[in-house]
PDB file of all heavy atoms in Angstrom:
ATOM      1  N   MET A   1      -1.233 -83.346 -22.533  1.00 59.00           N
ATOM      2  CA  MET A   1      -1.136 -83.160 -21.099  1.00 59.00           C
ATOM      3  C   MET A   1      -0.306 -81.904 -20.819  1.00 59.00           C
ATOM      4  O   MET A   1       0.736 -81.693 -21.407  1.00 59.00           O
ATOM      5  CB  MET A   1      -0.489 -84.389 -20.465  1.00 59.00           C
ATOM      6  CG  MET A   1      -0.251 -84.204 -18.987  1.00 59.00           C
ATOM      7  SD  MET A   1       0.685 -85.560 -18.249  1.00 59.00           S
ATOM      8  CE  MET A   1      -0.657 -86.555 -17.689  1.00 59.00           C
ATOM      9  N   GLU A   2      -0.763 -81.123 -19.918  1.00 69.00           N
ATOM     10  CA  GLU A   2      -0.077 -79.884 -19.541  1.00 69.00           C
ATOM     11  C   GLU A   2       1.008 -80.165 -18.508  1.00 69.00           C
ATOM     12  O   GLU A   2       0.769 -80.831 -17.507  1.00 69.00           O
ATOM     13  CB  GLU A   2      -1.096 -78.905 -18.957  1.00 69.00           C
ATOM     14  CG  GLU A   2      -0.499 -77.580 -18.577  1.00 69.00           C
ATOM     15  CD  GLU A   2      -1.552 -76.644 -17.998  1.00 69.00           C
ATOM     16  OE1 GLU A   2      -2.710 -76.692 -18.447  1.00 69.00           O
ATOM     17  OE2 GLU A   2      -1.198 -75.891 -17.099  1.00 69.00           O
ATOM     18  N   ALA A   3       2.225 -79.692 -18.779  1.00 73.00           N
ATOM     19  CA  ALA A   3       3.320 -79.855 -17.817  1.00 73.00           C
ATOM     20  C   ALA A   3       3.162 -78.837 -16.697  1.00 73.00           C
ATOM     21  O   ALA A   3       2.814 -77.693 -16.940  1.00 73.00           O
ATOM     22  CB  ALA A   3       4.662 -79.673 -18.512  1.00 73.00           C
ATOM     23  N   ARG A   4       3.420 -79.266 -15.494  1.00 85.00           N
ATOM     24  CA  ARG A   4       3.335 -78.374 -14.340  1.00 85.00           C
ATOM     25  C   ARG A   4       4.670 -78.351 -13.626  1.00 85.00           C
ATOM     26  O   ARG A   4       5.323 -79.365 -13.468  1.00 85.00           O
ATOM     27  CB  ARG A   4       2.242 -78.823 -13.385  1.00 85.00           C
ATOM     28  CG  ARG A   4       0.890 -78.738 -14.035  1.00 85.00           C
ATOM     29  CD  ARG A   4      -0.188 -78.960 -13.031  1.00 85.00           C
ATOM     30  NE  ARG A   4      -1.452 -78.915 -13.731  1.00 85.00           N
ATOM     31  CZ  ARG A   4      -2.407 -78.073 -13.422  1.00 85.00           C
ATOM     32  NH1 ARG A   4      -2.265 -77.252 -12.429  1.00 85.00           N
ATOM     33  NH2 ARG A   4      -3.527 -78.073 -14.095  1.00 85.00           N
ATOM     34  N   THR A   5       5.042 -77.179 -13.189  1.00 87.00           N
ATOM     35  CA  THR A   5       6.286 -76.982 -12.468  1.00 87.00           C
ATOM     36  C   THR A   5       5.957 -76.373 -11.115  1.00 87.00           C
ATOM     37  O   THR A   5       5.087 -75.521 -11.013  1.00 87.00           O
ATOM     38  CB  THR A   5       7.214 -76.040 -13.251  1.00 87.00           C
ATOM     39  OG1 THR A   5       7.495 -76.645 -14.511  1.00 87.00           O
ATOM     40  CG2 THR A   5       8.501 -75.797 -12.529  1.00 87.00           C
ATOM     41  N   THR A   6       6.668 -76.806 -10.083  1.00 92.00           N
ATOM     42  CA  THR A   6       6.463 -76.298  -8.739  1.00 92.00           C
ATOM     43  C   THR A   6       7.734 -75.637  -8.238  1.00 92.00           C
ATOM     44  O   THR A   6       8.812 -76.212  -8.336  1.00 92.00           O
ATOM     45  CB  THR A   6       6.099 -77.454  -7.784  1.00 92.00           C
ATOM     46  OG1 THR A   6       4.931 -78.098  -8.261  1.00 92.00           O
ATOM     47  CG2 THR A   6       5.873 -76.948  -6.372  1.00 92.00           C
ATOM     48  N   LEU A   7       7.600 -74.427  -7.740  1.00 92.00           N
ATOM     49  CA  LEU A   7       8.713 -73.761  -7.065  1.00 92.00           C
ATOM     50  C   LEU A   7       8.758 -74.354  -5.663  1.00 92.00           C
ATOM     51  O   LEU A   7       7.919 -74.064  -4.822  1.00 92.00           O
ATOM     52  CB  LEU A   7       8.485 -72.252  -7.021  1.00 92.00           C
ATOM     53  CG  LEU A   7       9.532 -71.431  -6.296  1.00 92.00           C
ATOM     54  CD1 LEU A   7      10.888 -71.572  -6.971  1.00 92.00           C
ATOM     55  CD2 LEU A   7       9.120 -69.976  -6.242  1.00 92.00           C
ATOM     56  N   ALA A   8       9.738 -75.230  -5.430  1.00 94.00           N
ATOM     57  CA  ALA A   8       9.787 -75.993  -4.187  1.00 94.00           C
ATOM     58  C   ALA A   8      10.485 -75.254  -3.054  1.00 94.00           C
ATOM     59  O   ALA A   8      10.145 -75.437  -1.887  1.00 94.00           O
ATOM     60  CB  ALA A   8      10.465 -77.336  -4.425  1.00 94.00           C
ATOM     61  N   ALA A   9      11.494 -74.427  -3.382  1.00 96.00           N
ATOM     62  CA  ALA A   9      12.236 -73.736  -2.319  1.00 96.00           C
ATOM     63  C   ALA A   9      13.027 -72.572  -2.891  1.00 96.00           C
ATOM     64  O   ALA A   9      13.451 -72.603  -4.041  1.00 96.00           O
ATOM     65  CB  ALA A   9      13.191 -74.697  -1.622  1.00 96.00           C
ATOM     66  N   VAL A  10      13.193 -71.573  -2.063  1.00 96.00           N
ATOM     67  CA  VAL A  10      14.099 -70.456  -2.336  1.00 96.00           C
ATOM     68  C   VAL A  10      14.930 -70.305  -1.071  1.00 96.00           C
ATOM     69  O   VAL A  10      14.392 -70.149   0.016  1.00 96.00           O
ATOM     70  CB  VAL A  10      13.332 -69.143  -2.636  1.00 96.00           C
ATOM     71  CG1 VAL A  10      14.302 -67.991  -2.834  1.00 96.00           C
ATOM     72  CG2 VAL A  10      12.438 -69.303  -3.857  1.00 96.00           C
ATOM     73  N   ARG A  11      16.252 -70.386  -1.222  1.00 96.00           N
ATOM     74  CA  ARG A  11      17.107 -70.312  -0.027  1.00 96.00           C
ATOM     75  C   ARG A  11      18.421 -69.618  -0.371  1.00 96.00           C
ATOM     76  O   ARG A  11      18.754 -69.426  -1.533  1.00 96.00           O
ATOM     77  CB  ARG A  11      17.360 -71.709   0.528  1.00 96.00           C
ATOM     78  CG  ARG A  11      18.007 -72.660  -0.441  1.00 96.00           C
ATOM     79  CD  ARG A  11      18.189 -74.042   0.197  1.00 96.00           C
ATOM     80  NE  ARG A  11      18.850 -74.913  -0.721  1.00 96.00           N
ATOM     81  CZ  ARG A  11      18.282 -75.941  -1.339  1.00 96.00           C
ATOM     82  NH1 ARG A  11      17.028 -76.222  -1.112  1.00 96.00           N
ATOM     83  NH2 ARG A  11      18.974 -76.681  -2.170  1.00 96.00           N
ATOM     84  N   GLY A  12      19.146 -69.253   0.656  1.00 96.00           N
ATOM     85  CA  GLY A  12      20.451 -68.635   0.457  1.00 96.00           C
ATOM     86  C   GLY A  12      20.384 -67.286  -0.230  1.00 96.00           C
ATOM     87  O   GLY A  12      21.283 -66.930  -0.979  1.00 96.00           O
ATOM     88  N   VAL A  13      19.337 -66.529   0.030  1.00 97.00           N
ATOM     89  CA  VAL A  13      19.193 -65.216  -0.608  1.00 97.00           C
ATOM     90  C   VAL A  13      20.281 -64.291  -0.079  1.00 97.00           C
ATOM     91  O   VAL A  13      20.532 -64.237   1.126  1.00 97.00           O
ATOM     92  CB  VAL A  13      17.794 -64.618  -0.323  1.00 97.00           C
ATOM     93  CG1 VAL A  13      17.656 -63.235  -0.930  1.00 97.00           C
ATOM     94  CG2 VAL A  13      16.706 -65.555  -0.843  1.00 97.00           C
ATOM     95  N   ARG A  14      20.953 -63.597  -1.005  1.00 97.00           N
ATOM     96  CA  ARG A  14      22.033 -62.693  -0.581  1.00 97.00           C
ATOM     97  C   ARG A  14      22.154 -61.519  -1.534  1.00 97.00           C
ATOM     98  O   ARG A  14      21.803 -61.621  -2.706  1.00 97.00           O
ATOM     99  CB  ARG A  14      23.350 -63.437  -0.522  1.00 97.00           C
ATOM    100  CG  ARG A  14      23.795 -63.940  -1.888  1.00 97.00           C
ATOM    101  CD  ARG A  14      24.830 -64.987  -1.792  1.00 97.00           C
ATOM    102  NE  ARG A  14      24.165 -66.178  -1.321  1.00 97.00           N
ATOM    103  CZ  ARG A  14      24.699 -67.368  -1.247  1.00 97.00           C
ATOM    104  NH1 ARG A  14      25.922 -67.555  -1.603  1.00 97.00           N
ATOM    105  NH2 ARG A  14      24.035 -68.396  -0.819  1.00 97.00           N
TER     106      ARG A  14
END
Side-chain angles (χ1 to χ4, degrees):
M1 175 187 266
E2 182 180 325
R4 296 189 182 238
T5 299
T6 302
L7 177 62
V10 177
R11 58 181 182 250
V13 178
R14 64 197 73 172

